Amino acid sequence: MKDWFETLDSRERIFVISGAVAVLMALVFAFVWTPLDNGQKALQSSVVAWERSLADLRPLIGLQQMPANPKQTAQAGAQQTPVLIVDQTLRARGLDRTLKRSQPTTNNGIRVEFENVAFDDLVLWLGDLSAQYAMQVSSGSLSAVSRAGPGRINATLTIERSL
């Protein structure tokens, strides 16, 4: 092969070398680059799918904390004051940072005010109060926060225990 190559004219040698380089590049592309690129794309789509699934499951985190028997928990919470129940559940949900003010209204009621709270988190918290302590919103007002991101609100709620 070496003897054959040396017998070639200089232009023919350049042509053969160029062809060999082109074939080598095509082989590298076909057997190295393409499988690596396909693997990277598959992993990237897998990560996107997992992130989407995780985002769909985040609101369900609070549901796993639901009691097995909500009626029994509501009866157990009947001994606690609404102030204590609200404080404990707000801390459990991480909403205590957005609480502006809380004030007892009756023996079984409390008024709470939130600033720049995430609407979804507030609704999940209200679901916890309803399921675990038989506490319902008797009145309230919600207003959108214009300077904050979407889904953020100011809220004033009066919550009462229905025993």
Side-chain angles (χ1 to χ4, degrees):
M1 180 104 149
K2 185 177 179 184
D3 293 336
W4 169 80
F5 185 73
E6 290 178 4
T7 61
L8 294 176
D9 211 18
S10 66
R11 280 189 278 174
E12 291 173 338
R13 285 182 191 172
I14 291 173
F15 182 73
V16 169
I17 290 174
S18 299
V21 169
V23 167
L24 182 64
M25 288 175 53
L27 289 173
V28 167
F29 180 79
F31 294 110
V32 177
W33 179 260
T34 302
L36 288 176
D37 189 47
N38 290 341
Q40 188 269 340
K41 286 179 183 175
L43 286 175
Q44 187 175 11
S45 66
S46 175
V47 167
V48 168
W50 279 104
E51 286 174 345
R52 191 177 314 121
S53 297
L54 185 61
D56 290 344
L57 292 175
R58 280 207 173 109
L60 300 177
I61 290 173
L63 296 178
Q64 78 182 36
Q65 299 168 355
M66 296 288 265
N69 187 353
K71 195 171 201 172
Q72 185 179 16
T73 306
Q75 291 171 350
Q79 292 90 15
Q80 296 177 333
T81 65
V83 174
L84 184 60
I85 292 170
V86 165
D87 183 58
Q88 288 174 346
T89 55
L90 283 174
R91 289 179 196 275
R93 281 269 177 207
L95 293 174
D96 54 327
R97 297 179 299 272
T98 60
L99 181 67
K100 181 179 174 186
R101 180 179 305 132
S102 66
Q103 178 180 12
T105 56
T106 63
N107 287 342
N108 289 324
I110 186 170
R111 189 175 135 225
V112 290
E113 293 181 31
F114 295 94
E115 275 189 355
N116 195 20
V117 65
F119 178 77
D120 293 344
D121 294 339
L122 183 65
V123 170
L124 289 172
W125 173 69
L126 291 172
D128 290 347
L129 287 179
S130 175
Q132 296 176 4
Y133 300 100
M135 296 183 77
Q136 307 292 327
V137 176
S138 63
S139 66
S141 68
L142 307 173
S143 61
V145 180
S146 60
R147 66 185 180 281
R152 308 296 286 187
I153 62 168
N154 292 332
T156 301
L157 305 169
T158 302
I159 304 169
E160 294 184 358
R161 186 180 351 217
S162 55
L163 295 176

